[in-house]
Amino acid sequence: MSTFDCLAIAPSVKQKLIKAGFREICELRSIPPTQLAREVGISPAVAVEVLEAVNANEPSQTQGSQPNESMIPTQLSMGLTPSLSQQFSQTANDMLNRQREVPNIVTFSQALDKLLGGGVHPSCLTEFCGIPGIGKTQVGMQLALDVQIPKVFGGVGGSAIYIDTEGSFMITRIKQMAEGVLAHLQELCTNPATPQAKKEAAAGLSVDSFLNNIHYYRVHDCIEQLALVHVLPSFIREQEKSTGTPVRLIVLDSVAFHFRHDFTDMAHRARLLQSFAQALQSMAAEFKLAVCVINQVTTKFKQNGQPFLAPALGDSWAHAVTHRIVLYMEAEQRLAFLYKSPSQANEIAPFRICGRGVRDIGKKRPRQEGQ
């Protein structure tokens, strides 16, 4: 019997692991996927699957052993089953109170916030999709700033992780948007009736402080993207422990880029995509953070042959997201359509992208004759 028989991987892969000199499961726990792929002679995607199987393996098992029925009475006598029941069981009221602990993240567009039910929800995956240039990245960067608004202003008071797969994150642009957020908060404090706590909170903010609370990751291929979500939980814990500022938002811009280009086996892609979505959902639930996913669109065809645009990655990914917002342009106006939500009606909200960032459209000046 092989040491790796308890891992849910293909027999041929197990043979390659042994041939490459690996003898114990513990030898695989700290090796990067790219290195494992190179040493064993497997694809990077298969290496990720091996490491996921290693992580899923019960740590309480002795190396090379397999669970058997004789272990079950021992576990019951030790009280493990009741503790697990207590760990995963919760009441509906517990869920409601947990949801209230962290407020929604505003977008700086009241129309867009109303569409979403008060902003982007924590503990959920919210997807913004649309054609290139419609403002998806702008929304993601705006949220990375807005999540830092202090609690005295009704904000979340957290930090953000920004995962960039396309190289579309522009530091000059987000600096400009940070200046817009800072100016807005300072304007609120010009009112003589503004509480002192708000004035002190605004005085402690700066453009640098906004930028320092955005943790940026540039991933260049699908393997880096898959590996990153498995190391982020430890970073999130350490970040809150060392700074006292919890991570309350993950922006992924975009989820589709590498998954659309790095795969020819669609079934294999679907399995990895499902695992990736589960990792994001797990972090959202455990750390009470919001996950904002930027997605591309692709061209599909109806039965009559008429083409139409649809979010990329298919139905398997569509089921993973909690809220889906489609951004599009109509009559030179940016619009957001709430395509999917468990709590809000399917409606449309207008918004604009200006120098300060994402804002409401405001009132248009009447067109003068000759203009």
Side-chain angles (χ1 to χ4, degrees), residues 94 135 169 197 264 353 366:
D94 291 335
F169 184 89
T264 55
I353 307 293

Side-chain angles (χ1 to χ4, degrees), residues 122-253:
S123 304
C124 293
L125 269 66
T126 300
E127 178 192 81
F128 291 89
C129 57
I131 62 173
I134 195 62
K136 304 184 298 296
T137 296
Q138 302 285 319
V139 171
M141 292 194 294
Q142 184 71 62
L143 291 170
L145 295 167
D146 295 349
V147 72
Q148 303 177 48
I149 295 176
K151 294 181 179 180
V152 292
F153 286 96
V156 178
S159 62
I161 292 173
Y162 201 104
I163 305 172
D164 184 7
T165 67
E166 301 185 29
S168 55
F169 184 89
M170 296 289 105
I171 188 61
T172 54
R173 176 54 177 155
I174 200 164
K175 178 177 179 293
Q176 184 183 34
M177 297 171 73
E179 292 170 350
V181 176
L182 182 61
H184 175 77
L185 297 178
Q186 291 174 342
E187 288 170 5
L188 294 177
C189 295
T190 57
N191 189 331
T194 301
Q196 186 62 28
K198 287 188 176 182
K199 294 180 180 180
E200 293 176 357
L205 298 174
S206 67
V207 172
D208 287 344
S209 68
F210 276 108
L211 299 182
N212 284 333
N213 277 318
I214 299 176
H215 309 286
Y216 175 80
Y217 291 88
R218 177 72 170 98
V219 295
H220 299 86
D221 55 43
C222 187
I223 302 308
E224 290 184 3
Q225 183 172 334
L226 291 167
L228 178 60
V229 295
H230 292 287
V231 300
L232 278 182
S234 59
F235 170 80
I236 294 172
R237 296 187 189 96
E238 181 60 31
Q239 180 65 23
E240 183 171 6
K241 182 180 179 181
S242 60
T243 67
T245 302
V247 174
R248 291 299 186 211
L249 174 70
I250 296 176
V251 179
L252 174 57
D253 184 13

Side-chain angles (χ1 to χ4, degrees), residues 274-315:
Q274 182 181 24
S275 173
F276 181 74
Q278 289 174 346
L280 291 176
Q281 291 168 338
S282 177
M283 284 189 290
E286 178 181 355
F287 301 108
K288 293 178 285 189
L289 55 83
V291 178
C292 171
V293 179
I294 308 301
N295 196 4
Q296 301 170 347
V297 292
T298 185
T299 302
K300 292 187 176 182
F301 295 89
K302 299 180 180 179
Q303 292 183 348
N304 59 6
Q306 183 179 358
F308 67 99
L309 292 177
L313 301 180
D315 292 337

Side-chain angles (χ1 to χ4, degrees), residues 17 25 43 90 176 203 214 219 242 258 269 289:
L17 287 171
I25 294 178
S43 70
Q90 57 181 332
Q176 184 183 34
I214 299 176
V219 295
S242 60
H258 295 310
R269 187 189 79 164
L289 55 83

Side-chain angles (χ1 to χ4, degrees), residues 344-357:
Q344 299 299 119
N346 301 120
E347 295 181 349
I348 298 173
F351 70 100
R352 67 187 175 102
I353 307 293
C354 63
R356 286 190 167 191

Side-chain angles (χ1 to χ4, degrees), residues 32-68:
T34 51
Q35 180 182 343
L36 180 64
R38 185 171 58 253
E39 292 185 11
V40 180
I42 56 180
S43 70
V46 173
V48 170
E49 287 188 337
V50 171
L51 295 179
E52 288 179 347
V54 170
N55 291 333
N57 186 56
E58 288 293 336
S60 60
Q61 284 181 224
T62 57
Q63 297 296 334
S65 67
Q66 297 231 19
N68 53 69

